[in-house]
Amino acid sequence: MIDELDIAVIGMAGRFPGAKDLEKYWHNLQNGIESITFLGDEDLEDSEIEPTVLRDPSYVKASAIIEDIEWFDAPFFGLNPKEAILMDPQHRLFLEYAWEALEGAGYINTQDSVGVYAGSSLSRYLFNLYSNPEVIASAGKLLIIGNDKDHLSTRVSYKLNLRGPSYTVQSACSTSLVTVYVACQSLLNSECDIALAGGVSINLPQKTGYKYQED
């Protein structure tokens, strides 16, 4: 018996530290595989961590690293090289996995209304771009479009020709969970036929530790 409140999950996709897909992610969880990378001084020096920081006994040399974030098939999404370079890796990754989730669901672009509900962390990539005056001078609006949180969901809708509601959700560490909640509410309220929901967070540079603070 089908309840009017039933919602079917028809596709999922994701990449995590130590796992390029969901199958590997669940395998790691089931087998207790450590997904945190412990870094050596050479790794941290490559990330330009100050020697005084490295010598600090409270500095923890460990990080959650997502592999191959620099790989992106820009032409597939109709993006030129300049657009791709100026785009935050978080936005690139979310666009790729939005496509993968829909492809895995067997979605064919029809007249269905597909909503997109997404959130990301602050763009640390943007800080790096701002350190290069030549990039800033030539980037124009692409700098904001490629890095600002507000453009995360609408770019996916535009590039994948999705015609349902599309907006960014932000609630700190619970962002991904809240996107799923909002997506479910939109489905139940008949605002869309299919909902794509999720979040993305990549710390840059990835090979950095953090300072332990007692209590």
Side-chain angles (χ1 to χ4, degrees):
M1 183 177 179
I2 299 177
D3 188 279
E4 62 179 7
L5 298 180
D6 285 346
I7 293 174
V9 178
I10 60 173
M12 294 179 68
R15 190 189 302 182
F16 307 88
K20 290 188 176 182
D21 53 39
L22 291 174
E23 288 185 6
K24 180 64 174 177
Y25 175 68
W26 288 117
H27 174 268
N28 290 350
L29 284 178
Q30 290 173 332
N31 293 277
I33 295 174
E34 177 64 73
S35 294
I36 297 298
T37 300
F38 295 91
L39 305 165
D41 286 353
E42 186 175 337
D43 295 317
L44 295 163
E45 288 168 359
D46 289 342
S47 296
E48 300 183 351
I49 305 300
E50 294 291 335
T52 53
V53 175
L54 295 179
R55 292 193 296 269
D56 187 337
S58 65
Y59 187 72
V60 181
K61 302 172 184 179
S63 182
I65 295 175
I66 298 177
E67 296 180 0
D68 301 329
I69 63 168
E70 69 277 15
W71 294 3
F72 179 60
D73 190 354
F76 180 81
F77 294 105
L79 294 163
N80 64 47
K82 182 176 181 179
E83 288 176 302
I85 289 172
L86 293 173
M87 188 186 297
D88 185 342
Q90 296 183 122
H91 290 233
R92 299 179 208 157
L93 201 67
F94 192 83
L95 180 57
E96 288 179 321
Y97 279 86
W99 169 271
E100 185 173 319
L102 291 170
E103 183 181 47
Y107 169 73
I108 299 175
N109 194 7
T110 64
Q111 297 302 311
D112 290 331
S113 172
V114 181
V116 180
Y117 311 91
S120 69
S121 292
L122 181 69
S123 177
R124 291 174 173 82
Y125 189 67
L126 185 59
F127 297 154
N128 181 56
L129 293 175
Y130 268 120
S131 67
N132 189 324
E134 292 183 8
V135 171
I136 298 300
S138 64
K141 291 184 178 180
L142 288 177
L143 196 67
I144 301 302
I145 293 172
N147 292 270
D148 193 286
K149 294 178 178 182
D150 292 349
H151 298 281
L152 179 66
S153 59
T154 49
R155 176 188 290 104
V156 169
S157 295
Y158 175 67
K159 287 297 181 181
L160 303 187
N161 195 30
L162 307 178
R163 300 176 182 276
S166 183
Y167 52 89
T168 300
V169 177
Q170 295 298 149
S171 63
C173 295
S174 61
T175 293
S176 293
L177 178 63
V178 176
T179 63
V180 174
Y181 169 79
V182 175
C184 289
Q185 291 299 307
S186 292
L187 288 169
L188 295 174
N189 292 329
S190 300
E191 296 171 3
C192 58
D193 303 309
I194 299 173
L196 180 67
V200 59
S201 180
I202 301 175
N203 290 322
L204 295 174
Q206 290 206 95
K207 292 184 177 181
T208 57
Y210 60 94
K211 191 170 182 178
Y212 167 75
Q213 292 179 294
E214 190 173 357
D215 298 328

